Amino acid sequence: MFCGTPFHKKVGNHMGDYILEVKDVSKSFPGVKALNQVSFRVKKGEVHALVGENGAGKSTLMKILNGVYSKDTGSIFIDGKEAVINNPLDARSCGISIVFQEFNLVPILSIAENIYMGRLPRKKGMIDYQKLKEDTQRVLNMVGSDLDPFTLVETLGIAQKQMVEIAKMLSYEETRLILLDEPTATLTNKECEVLFQVVADLKKQGVTVIYISHKLEEIFAICDSITIIRDGEVIETKEVSETDRNEIITAMVGREITEVYPKREGDCSENEEILRIENFSSQGLFEDVSFSLKKGEVLGLAGLVGAGRTEIARAIFGIDYKDSGEIYLKGQKIEINSPAEAIKHGICYLSEDRKLEGLMGTLPVDWNITAANLKKACKSGMLSGKLEQQISQEMVEKLRIKTPNLKQTVFNLSGGNMQKIVIGKWLNTEIDVFIFDEPTRGIDVGAKYEIYLLINELVKEGKSVIMISSELPEIMGMSDRILVIKNGTIAGDFNVSDMTARDFIENAI
């Protein structure tokens, strides 16, 4: 790796204002052209947004800059000098650090051990735990966290793990160029504000940030310039002040999306009740929760992170045990003590953590799509590979899943396509009630719109949906009725036509 040595190639003097220049970088995987002659430049000390649909190539480009992947062709220049980055250590020597969208933490180790892994401070040959604690507390303070440095990572929530990842990045003092891949996907509004302040402080110190996010409001709030990628190619690079939301969306998806939330025809208020939950309680998580769900209805569960929304959903699906409460399906009392029993009754749950709980990521697309209903892919009592392929291909076409073939490993696909596979898995079963937990988290605006269309199609077919979302505009835009959850109880029950953002805040806080 060459970075800051006499062996670098110099480019024009114009590079003096740029910390990074990517020139004609291409990268292919089996059956997929991930990047095609990508070129763009990033000024020193700016926050540069990188946006595009899932699968556009953003994460692949970031992994090339960090040395996780090697480029096929093209050049990378740091401070005007060509750098050869073959691994993350090379990238770090060039002052590049990255926080990936997916966590890279060791659960059984402490926060401090994760942050300083491989470089633990020592004193007389022994680990200096006092200095380790002080150093860890310093970087945790930078991200506004008051966590104990010696807390085990396996005890942390998703948002807390994300903050640890960001703190780990900030622990490298040589860092000059920071790559943030969907850093707020799992953060609360308060945590987002802390992160934005951290980014602003880094910018004042002359540190450059490349910021990947599907939340366009964040781009306009903290970014100076923007590069838009579509299908592995750069569409344009410009100042954020010179563009607007509609222009960015059109460049991202290659078409105009006139409605953020597609309209749904019909009124379900008079429809028959399909599901009723009565007096659901689980000590320390939720208490005396009762509500009903009608056929063809989208019922939103809104509330702050940690309010108990996910816990209620997991108990309905039988993942977690409840202390008391009853479930009625189509007027009949049923018992659900496991996910298998829930599925048998026609209820499914799409977890907010699709990679850990929704997919078999190291297995191919067709195995994942048919996993929840293998009987459908059987012939004469034996699993039929031909039938499995047929079912999977039909689902891939129906959901417009972008994959080179049905044998592609799922973890090699984008977040939006992975989410579609999770949905496809359940569409392959006889399900009447779909519980979607943060269905569009970490998904671009184009893929979000397709998920919304799928939800509308489900209720049009007479299915019912319980939707959990931390994005208030989303849950108000997609729901017929909204329950506001606060401290494990229902604090408000609103028809969406009558609800305002103020109603949510007054009931949720």
Side-chain angles (χ1 to χ4, degrees):
M1 189 286 307
F2 305 110
C3 201
T5 75
F7 297 100
H8 287 108
K9 296 179 182 178
K10 291 278 188 178
V11 292
N13 292 332
H14 65 280
M15 276 301 298
D17 294 332
Y18 296 92
I19 188 172
L20 172 71
E21 182 176 24
V22 175
K23 293 188 67 176
D24 300 324
V25 167
S26 296
K27 176 67 177 178
S28 294
F29 299 100
V32 179
K33 184 81 170 179
L35 297 174
N36 183 28
Q37 294 188 310
V38 166
S39 298
F40 72 101
R41 298 186 297 180
V42 178
K43 294 178 182 177
K44 294 178 181 178
E46 74 169 348
V47 182
H48 188 97
L50 188 65
V51 303
E53 288 191 277
N54 286 105
K58 307 182 300 298
S59 293
T60 298
L61 178 57
M62 293 301 98
K63 289 177 180 179
I64 287 174
L65 292 176
N66 193 52
V68 175
Y69 292 158
S70 59
K71 55 185 170 48
D72 296 336
T73 60
S75 304
I76 297 171
F77 296 88
I78 303 294
D79 284 330
K81 302 172 183 178
E82 186 169 4
V84 180
I85 303 174
N86 294 317
N87 54 60
L89 289 178
D90 288 348
R92 199 166 297 142
S93 297
C94 287
I96 300 174
S97 292
I98 186 169
V99 173
F100 290 112
Q101 183 178 352
E102 308 299 340
F103 302 140
N104 189 26
L105 301 170
V106 180
I108 61 174
L109 297 181
S110 69
I111 293 172
E113 289 168 323
N114 270 276
I115 290 177
Y116 288 98
M117 188 182 299
R119 53 200 174 105
L120 297 171
R122 294 184 177 273
K123 187 176 183 180
K124 296 181 180 180
M126 303 291 288
I127 296 175
D128 187 343
Y129 283 100
Q130 182 59 37
K131 180 170 174 37
L132 178 61
K133 180 178 181 180
E134 293 172 358
D135 290 348
T136 304
Q137 196 63 66
R138 175 180 59 81
V139 293
L140 286 175
N141 288 340
M142 293 176 69
V143 296
S145 174
D146 58 359
L147 289 168
D148 185 324
F150 296 123
T151 300
L152 292 180
V153 165
E154 66 184 359
T155 67
L156 304 179
I158 292 176
Q160 292 172 318
K161 290 177 182 176
Q162 177 68 82
M163 281 308 200
V164 171
E165 286 279 21
I166 296 171
K168 181 169 66 174
M169 169 196 67
L170 295 174
S171 70
Y172 294 99
E173 295 181 0
E174 68 270 23
T175 297
R176 295 180 296 134
L177 176 60
I178 294 172
L179 316 176
L180 295 178
D181 190 358
E182 294 288 348
T184 66
T186 57
L187 303 185
T188 64
N189 289 337
K190 181 179 179 180
E191 289 164 337
C192 286
E193 291 174 4
V194 172
L195 173 65
F196 295 162
Q197 186 58 56
V198 168
V199 171
D201 291 343
L202 291 172
K203 180 180 173 182
K204 290 178 183 177
Q205 298 167 29
V207 177
T208 305
V209 177
I210 295 180
Y211 193 92
I212 299 176
S213 178
H214 291 128
K215 300 177 181 178
L216 297 186
E217 64 273 15
E218 295 179 359
I219 303 301
F220 288 103
I222 66 172
C223 295
D224 303 298
S225 57
I226 182 170
T227 292
I228 302 166
I229 296 181
R230 184 173 76 233
D231 297 331
E233 299 181 355
V234 170
I235 302 303
E236 61 180 337
T237 297
K238 63 196 316 180
E239 298 297 307
V240 169
S241 60
E242 297 175 354
T243 188
D244 58 33
R245 178 185 176 88
N246 288 335
E247 186 177 18
I248 292 174
I249 292 173
T250 300
M252 282 173 57
V253 304
R255 63 189 187 279
E256 283 197 58
I257 296 179
T258 55
E259 295 177 346
V260 178
Y261 306 104
K263 292 181 180 178
R264 189 164 59 249
E265 301 297 331
D267 180 8
C268 64
S269 60
E270 300 299 323
N271 291 1
E272 63 181 289
E273 177 186 270
I274 190 169
L275 179 73
R276 185 165 80 254
I277 306 298
E278 289 192 355
N279 308 120
F280 248 42
S281 294
S282 180
Q283 188 173 4
L285 298 176
F286 51 87
E287 183 178 0
D288 199 26
V289 171
S290 299
F291 64 87
S292 65
L293 175 69
K294 294 182 179 180
K295 185 175 182 178
E297 180 181 35
V298 177
L299 176 65
L301 296 190
L304 304 179
V305 173
R309 301 165 304 167
T310 293
E311 290 78 5
I312 293 169
R314 287 170 62 91
I316 293 172
F317 190 58
I319 300 174
D320 299 332
Y321 291 106
K322 64 185 185 300
D323 297 328
S324 61
E326 297 175 338
I327 301 176
Y328 292 86
L329 184 67
K330 299 177 182 178
Q332 300 294 316
K333 183 179 177 181
I334 62 173
E335 290 292 333
I336 296 179
N337 295 307
S338 69
E341 291 182 355
I343 295 168
K344 182 180 178 181
H345 287 295
I347 300 172
C348 74
Y349 170 69
L350 286 77
S351 170
E352 62 179 326
D353 191 340
R354 58 179 170 263
K355 291 196 74 172
L356 181 63
E357 299 178 340
L359 295 165
M360 299 177 290
T362 59
L363 297 180
V365 171
D366 56 352
W367 285 29
N368 275 271
I369 289 177
T370 57
N373 190 8
L374 288 174
K375 287 184 179 179
K376 190 175 179 181
C378 288
K379 189 174 183 180
S380 301
M382 299 291 289
L383 186 63
S384 167
K386 184 178 180 180
L387 195 53
E388 185 177 47
Q389 292 268 306
Q390 179 184 330
I391 293 168
S392 300
Q393 186 60 43
E394 289 174 356
M395 198 61 67
V396 164
E397 292 174 2
K398 179 178 181 179
L399 302 185
R400 294 200 291 176
I401 298 169
K402 294 180 181 179
T403 178
N405 54 66
L406 296 177
K407 292 302 179 183
Q408 176 70 282
T409 301
V410 166
F411 278 174
N412 288 338
L413 302 180
S414 68
N417 286 302
M418 282 193 279
Q419 185 71 322
K420 288 181 182 179
I421 289 172
V422 176
I423 295 173
K425 175 181 70 175
W426 292 118
L427 290 180
N428 192 42
T429 62
E430 299 297 324
I431 295 296
D432 293 315
V433 177
F434 290 78
I435 304 175
F436 288 85
D437 196 348
E438 302 287 2
T440 66
R441 174 174 286 168
I443 293 178
D444 66 81
V445 63
K448 280 186 176 182
Y449 191 77
E450 291 185 354
I451 298 297
Y452 299 151
L453 289 175
L454 284 172
I455 290 174
N456 284 356
E457 186 64 29
L458 287 174
V459 296
K460 184 179 179 181
E461 294 173 359
K463 311 293 185 181
S464 302
V465 173
I466 296 174
M467 181 176 178
I468 300 171
S469 176
S470 296
E471 296 185 28
L472 185 59
E474 176 178 80
I475 208 160
M476 291 182 70
M478 287 301 298
S479 303
D480 297 296
R481 192 161 50 93
I482 296 175
L483 303 179
V484 180
I485 310 299
K486 176 183 178 181
N487 297 329
T489 62
I490 295 177
D493 185 342
F494 300 92
N495 288 321
V496 72
S497 58
D498 301 326
M499 184 180 177
T500 65
R502 182 182 182 87
D503 291 326
F504 168 77
I505 293 170
E506 289 178 345
N507 285 273
I509 296 177

